């Protein structure tokens, strides 16, 4: 074999993947050919250099991020697999959908004035948070009714899920779990210690609450919530009240930030002020973003130090200029990252509570789902209404008759009088005629 | 000795199957244990195939989630590791495709059999001239690997960084062993040519790659 052919197989040979006959051919050849022997040696060394690039360690927060991702995936997957594994649940869901369609349909027809009051479903509806406070003009009523179709949907689904043991507090329970895990992480400490050794890995979760509160004394409640903000180490973010001339309800909203760890206490206090009609909670886990930024920040700080060192040792003007521009860039990056971290710190240490405040109103309108439940009542009331209508018309005819009676009597009298004279006239003529005949 | 080895391997496989079973039921701790030997490897494949640590970490998380999600589809007729590498390779390919749409021509033939012309083995246009003067020789070598076009790069990475056999690489990338052989050969030749050209002006680099 020629040297060229031999060298073509070096790659597989050094990987120990060459077939035996090629391997032995190479060995034979390099034993005889000095140039190829050196070439093989160089080739081997070059590849050793490439392989020396090796593997880098995983980022320090990799495991934490993975665990968070898995939990999230599991939460998503659970609802999927659950509906897969229990066919009766699917049937139940189908029923719920059917009910929903019927509900929406009857709601739609009620908008066109075809509604008949349904009493059976009314009780259920009363407990649902569907009361819609009307404020201002009556023009908004149509809109209000259509918007209520959405809460009804939520309501029905919640009803179906309740027996599954998953109630509305699912999310909060999950969050508590996460926090507990974070504590364990902190306890296990060691391996998760940050390189700078300043703190341990702690979950960074932004929590937001939103409440709808019905109160008797609007102003007092508004003032109290503002006070709560400062009592619990926070502040009022924004607020808005409106008091239109002639409107019966007062309403407004207030956003406050309070110490995240004591947010529950604040909500308890707010609940004392009136009736919480709607309560929602959301959280956003920014742990991985936070520590990513922190790691990058550390890298940039190290770079800044190196640049400073270089800057002091720089000799030419070009070096100084290029180092300066690089430092400007690095410092800008550092500042922006520090800003991001401060922002996250603030969001995670202070929870946002949005409170929607309003006074009870006589204009509170309740939309109740109708459907088959009230069918027989509807038939019955329809039938009764039919009888009533018939009676009504008979009565009307009677009243009409009575009303025109005097006129009729008068007309009858006139008619009789005319008839009388007419007859008399005719008789007179008859009496005359025989006279003439007699003459 | 040989029997002992196979016994050890099969007990390891048995352990793996147990962990897979547990993971399928949503045991995240078991899953973490299952993928622990692979996480670093996946991340490093990403690190060499993509351009920075953030992308590599995202890619590795993405791969692990895909594995978790599709564990039910793993039938066990091939090694778990092969399956893991396959998902890693495909994920890398998807990321490269979506981020370099304008050069799609270069990336679509990832698993194609016919060879590309020589000039497409590597593209060092992005490699800064002064990089090899850096004391960090690693950075230069990494740039050398990243300069290869993806279909050569993936083979190189799986071989030199992950240390897979030709057969394992062939399974992961879905090409034949012969193609693995020829791509590795071409990739090494292209890298060496570039390094030798750079080393002519730079004794430090020459020492590094031991070719003087």
């Amino acid at each position: 074999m020629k040297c060229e052919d031999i060298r073509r197989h070096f790659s597989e040979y050094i990987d120990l993947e060459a077939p035996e006959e090629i391997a032995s051919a190479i060995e034979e050849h390099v034993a005889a050919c000095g140039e190829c022997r050196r070439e093989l040696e160089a080739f081997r060394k070059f590849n050793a250099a490439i392989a020396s690039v090796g593997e880098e360690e995983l980022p320090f927060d990799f495991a934490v991020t993975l665990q968070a991702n898995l939990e999230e995936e599991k939460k998503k997957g659970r609802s999927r697999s659950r509906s897969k594994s229990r066919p009766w649940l699917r049937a139940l869901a189908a029923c719920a959908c059917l009910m929903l369609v019927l509900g929406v349909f009857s709601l739609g027809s009620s908008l066109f004035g075809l509604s008949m009051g349904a009493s059976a479903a009314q009780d259920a509806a009363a407990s649902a948070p569907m009361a819609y406070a009307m404020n201002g003009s009556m023009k908004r009523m149509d809109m209000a009714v259509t918007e209520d179709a959405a809460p009804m949907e939520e309501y029905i689904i919640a009803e179906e899920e309740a027996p599954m043991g998953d109630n509305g507090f699912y999310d909060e329970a999950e969050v508590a779990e996460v926090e507990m895990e974070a504590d364990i992480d902190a306890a296990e400490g060691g391996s998760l210690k940050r390189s700078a050794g300043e703190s341990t890995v702690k979950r960074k979760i932004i929590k937001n609450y939103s409440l709808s509160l019905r109160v008797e004394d609007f102003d007092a409640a508004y003032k109290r919530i503002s006070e709560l903000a400062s009592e619990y180490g926070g502040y009022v973010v924004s607020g808005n009240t409106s008091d239109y001339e002639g409107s019966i309800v007062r309403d407004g909203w207030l956003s406050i930030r309070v110490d995240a760890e004591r947010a529950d206490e604040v909500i308890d206090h707010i609940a004392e002020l009136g009736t919480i009609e709607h309560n929602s909670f959301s959280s956003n886990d920014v742990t991985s973003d936070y520590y990513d930024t922190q790691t990058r920040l550390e890298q940039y700080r190290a770079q800044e130090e190196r640049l400073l060192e270089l800057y002091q040792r720089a000799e030419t003007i070009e070096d100084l200029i290029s180092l300066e521009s690089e430092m400007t860039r690095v410092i800008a990056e550092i500042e922006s990252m520090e800003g991001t971290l401060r922002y996250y710190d603030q969001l995670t240490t202070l929870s946002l509570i949005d409170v929607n405040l309003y006074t009870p109103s006589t204009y509170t309108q309740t939309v109740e789902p109708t459907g088959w439940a009230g069918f027989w009542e509807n038939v019955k009331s329809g039938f009764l209404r039919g009888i009533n209508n018939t009676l009504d018309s008979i009565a009307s005819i009677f009243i009409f008759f009575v009303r025109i009676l005097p006129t009729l009597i008068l007309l009858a009298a006139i008619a009789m009088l005319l008839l009388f004279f007419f007859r008399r006239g005719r008789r007179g003529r008859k009496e005359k005629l025989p006279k003439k005949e007699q003459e | 000795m040989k029997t002992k080895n196979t016994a050890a391997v099969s007990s390891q496989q048995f352990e793996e199957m147990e962990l897979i079973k547990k993971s399928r039921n949503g045991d995240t701790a078991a899953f973490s244990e299952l993928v622990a030997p692979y996480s670093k490897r996946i991340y490093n494949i990403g690190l060499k195939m993509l351009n920075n640590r953030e992308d590599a970490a995202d890619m590795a998380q993405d791969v692990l989630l895909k594995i978790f999600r599709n564990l039910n589809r793993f039938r066990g007729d091939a090694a778990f590791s092969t399956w893991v590498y396959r998902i890693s390779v495909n994920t890398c390919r998807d990321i490269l495709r979506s981020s370099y749409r304008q050069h799609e021509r270069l990336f679509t033939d990832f698993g194609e059999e016919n060879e590309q012309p020589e000039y497409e083995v590597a593209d060092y246009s992005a490699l800064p001239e002064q990089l090899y003067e850096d004391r960090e020789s690693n950075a230069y070598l990494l740039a050398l690997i990243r300069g290869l076009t993806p279909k050569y790069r993936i083979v190189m990475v799986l071989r030199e960084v992950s240390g897979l056999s030709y057969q394992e690489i062939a399974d992961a990338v879905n090409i034949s062993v012969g193609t693995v052989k020829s791509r590795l050969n071409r990739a090494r030749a292209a890298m060496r040519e570039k390094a030798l050209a750079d080393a002519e002006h730079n004794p430090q680099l020459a020492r590094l790659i031991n070719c003087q």
Side-chain angles (χ1 to χ4, degrees):
Chain A
M1 260 197 266
K2 285 190 206 153
C3 292
E4 278 304 302
D5 293 328
I6 288 295
R7 289 179 190 185
R8 268 201 306 127
H9 293 285
F10 276 178
S11 170
E12 51 185 307
Y13 177 71
I14 63 160
D15 283 335
L16 305 176
E17 297 265 2
E20 221 160 280
E21 65 272 15
I22 288 179
S24 53
I26 289 172
E27 276 156 23
E28 235 170 74
H29 182 89
V30 294
C33 172
E35 210 176 311
C36 280
R37 189 165 55 238
R38 276 189 296 280
E39 175 64 18
L40 177 62
E41 206 46 45
F43 194 83
R44 211 192 277 277
K45 277 180 180 167
F46 175 74
N47 274 291
I50 294 294
S52 78
V53 169
E55 293 195 321
E56 207 171 280
E57 285 302 318
L58 288 169
F60 80 101
D61 63 344
F62 191 84
V64 178
T65 312
L66 176 65
Q67 206 58 33
N69 285 344
L70 289 177
E71 289 301 330
E72 199 179 311
E73 180 65 31
K74 221 165 84 175
K75 224 191 287 176
K76 270 191 274 170
R78 203 183 303 166
S79 49
R80 264 205 306 269
S81 65
R82 189 189 285 160
S83 57
K84 221 183 278 173
S85 62
R86 297 183 204 182
W88 60 268
L89 195 75
R90 258 196 281 179
L92 212 62
C95 280
C97 286
L98 195 67
M99 276 171 70
L100 198 74
V101 170
L102 286 172
V104 169
F105 181 73
S106 58
L107 193 74
S109 51
S110 79
L111 281 176
F112 291 104
L114 300 171
S115 161
M116 293 160 280
S119 56
Q122 217 160 354
D123 295 334
S127 62
M130 277 189 248
Y132 194 92
M134 295 284 297
N135 67 352
S137 65
M138 292 296 285
K139 270 185 202 165
R140 283 174 54 189
M141 184 173 159
D142 284 355
M143 202 179 74
V145 171
T146 39
E147 273 175 3
D148 271 342
M152 184 170 72
E153 183 177 346
E154 278 169 30
Y155 169 66
I156 291 176
I157 289 164
E159 261 278 287
E160 300 298 344
E161 268 183 6
M164 298 294 307
D166 280 347
N167 53 32
F169 301 107
Y170 180 71
D171 270 346
E172 273 148 294
E174 201 71 18
V175 169
E177 215 175 276
V178 169
E179 279 170 343
M180 219 170 69
E181 277 171 11
D183 286 346
I184 294 168
D185 283 347
E188 284 174 352
S191 62
L192 291 171
K193 274 242 161 66
R194 282 180 42 218
S195 49
E198 286 160 23
S199 66
T200 50
V201 173
K202 189 169 175 294
R203 283 233 161 275
K204 293 282 178 185
I205 299 172
I206 299 172
K207 294 183 215 168
N208 293 328
Y209 303 82
S210 167
L211 309 170
S212 290
L213 187 69
R214 182 155 52 78
V215 290
E216 294 296 332
D217 187 344
F218 183 85
D219 293 307
Y222 197 87
K223 192 157 160 275
R224 179 74 190 118
I225 294 172
S226 311
E227 286 167 4
L228 277 172
S230 47
E231 274 174 39
Y232 283 86
Y235 55 91
V236 177
V237 180
S238 56
N240 170 33
T241 66
S242 49
D243 187 9
Y244 296 112
E245 191 93 38
S247 82
I248 297 163
V249 287
R250 291 283 315 270
D251 88 319
W253 53 266
L254 199 60
S255 292
I256 57 171
R257 282 201 177 278
V258 297
D259 185 359
E261 280 164 20
R262 294 193 293 165
D264 291 334
E265 285 176 50
V266 177
I267 286 165
D268 288 343
H269 280 303
I270 293 174
E272 286 165 11
L273 299 171
T275 317
I276 291 184
E277 293 192 326
H278 176 74
N279 181 357
S280 71
F281 169 78
S282 70
S283 73
N284 183 12
D285 191 342
V286 293
T287 314
S288 64
D289 276 352
Y290 187 88
Y291 291 109
D292 269 356
T293 312
Q294 211 165 40
T295 317
R296 282 199 294 135
L297 179 60
E298 273 161 26
Q299 285 166 356
Y300 269 101
R301 282 199 178 125
Q303 198 183 345
E304 188 191 13
E305 264 174 44
R306 275 205 304 278
L307 283 172
L308 264 175
E309 232 173 75
L310 284 174
Y311 188 76
Q312 276 155 4
R313 283 193 280 134
E315 277 162 7
T316 65
I317 300 290
E318 284 84 27
D319 284 352
L320 282 173
I321 290 170
S322 65
L323 279 169
E324 244 167 32
S325 77
E326 180 61 10
M327 263 163 79
T328 315
R329 191 186 69 80
V330 167
I331 288 168
E333 284 283 344
I334 287 175
E335 276 167 2
S336 116
M337 279 187 276
E338 280 173 344
T340 309
L341 290 180
R342 266 200 303 278
Y343 177 66
Y344 277 151
D345 276 335
Q346 201 209 13
L347 289 189
T348 50
T349 50
L350 293 176
S351 284
L352 184 72
I353 304 180
D354 278 325
V355 188
N356 184 17
L357 276 172
Y358 45 88
T359 54
S361 149
T362 47
Y363 278 12
T364 299
Q365 192 203 13
T366 313
V367 177
E368 57 267 351
T370 56
W372 291 106
F375 183 71
W376 286 114
E377 273 75 8
N378 293 336
V379 170
K380 213 156 72 182
S381 74
F383 182 65
L384 286 175
R385 216 173 291 166
I387 292 174
N388 281 346
N389 285 345
T390 317
L391 291 176
D392 274 356
S393 18
I394 292 170
S396 303
I397 291 166
F398 182 71
I399 288 166
F400 174 74
F401 183 71
V402 170
R403 261 173 60 185
I404 62 164
L405 200 60
T407 322
L408 283 178
I409 292 170
L410 193 67
L411 284 173
I414 292 169
M416 280 164 79
L417 214 64
L418 284 173
L419 203 67
F420 174 74
F421 281 117
F422 179 68
R423 279 194 182 156
R424 249 194 52 172
R426 230 169 52 173
R427 202 181 296 148
R429 266 207 299 272
K430 269 182 193 166
E431 277 167 9
K432 271 180 191 170
L433 277 174
K435 250 190 188 170
K436 269 189 182 172
E437 281 164 15
Q438 279 169 6
E439 280 172 347
Chain B
M1 193 64 193
K2 207 177 176 185
T3 47
K4 208 177 177 183
N5 257 346
T6 49
V9 165
S10 64
S11 93
Q12 192 193 332
Q13 274 175 345
F14 177 75
E15 226 166 81
E16 211 164 61
M17 279 320 288
E18 283 297 298
L19 288 174
I20 289 172
K21 257 183 234 163
K22 278 187 198 165
S23 308
R24 276 179 185 158
N25 294 327
D27 185 343
T28 54
F31 183 75
S32 297
E33 203 185 327
L34 173 70
V35 296
Y38 302 105
S39 300
K40 191 171 159 189
R41 221 163 241 192
I42 297 166
Y43 171 69
N44 276 284
I45 292 173
L47 203 57
K48 271 83 189 180
M49 293 304 292
L50 309 173
N51 285 324
N52 54 54
R53 292 192 176 88
E54 284 87 59
D55 287 354
D58 285 349
M59 170 267 181
Q61 294 282 357
D62 195 19
V63 168
L64 292 175
L65 272 184
K66 274 183 193 165
I67 293 169
F68 185 65
R69 216 176 287 150
N70 296 306
L71 216 49
N72 282 325
R73 286 205 226 150
F74 174 64
R75 292 181 305 274
D77 44 17
F80 182 63
S81 62
T82 307
W83 195 60
V84 170
Y85 290 128
R86 207 168 199 159
I87 292 175
S88 308
V89 170
N90 287 338
T91 306
C92 268
R93 176 171 48 192
D94 291 344
I95 293 169
L96 286 170
R97 263 192 193 153
S98 60
S99 58
Y100 295 98
R101 281 221 178 270
Q102 67 271 32
H103 299 308
E104 200 153 0
R105 182 175 54 95
L106 296 180
F107 303 99
T108 43
D109 49 10
F110 219 55
E112 221 174 68
E113 291 300 317
N114 44 348
E115 293 296 307
Q116 289 288 307
E118 200 74 41
Y119 66 88
E120 276 185 351
V121 173
D123 172 18
Y124 290 113
S125 53
L127 189 64
E129 282 300 309
Q130 74 279 15
L131 192 56
Y132 51 77
E133 288 172 31
D134 198 298
R135 266 180 299 161
E136 288 283 330
S137 57
N138 240 10
Y140 176 76
L141 293 169
L142 189 56
L144 216 51
I145 295 173
R146 282 181 180 162
L148 291 168
T149 50
K151 71 173 191 176
Y152 291 97
R153 203 191 318 164
I154 187 67
V155 178
M156 199 66 209
V157 169
L158 290 177
R159 175 68 215 175
E160 293 298 358
V161 181
S162 309
L164 300 194
S165 72
Y166 281 20
Q167 185 58 55
E168 284 172 317
I169 297 171
D171 290 340
V173 189
N174 202 15
I175 52 179
S176 70
V177 173
T179 310
V180 173
K181 226 177 250 188
S182 77
R183 281 192 190 170
L184 269 177
N185 196 18
R186 278 159 181 264
R188 280 172 172 150
M191 285 169 80
R192 192 148 170 259
E193 205 175 299
K194 169 67 180 167
L196 285 174
D198 287 341
E200 263 178 39
H201 318 284
N202 187 288
Q204 204 179 9
L205 177 65
R207 217 173 310 125
L208 167 74
I209 57 173
N210 293 305
C211 56
Q212 252 190 1

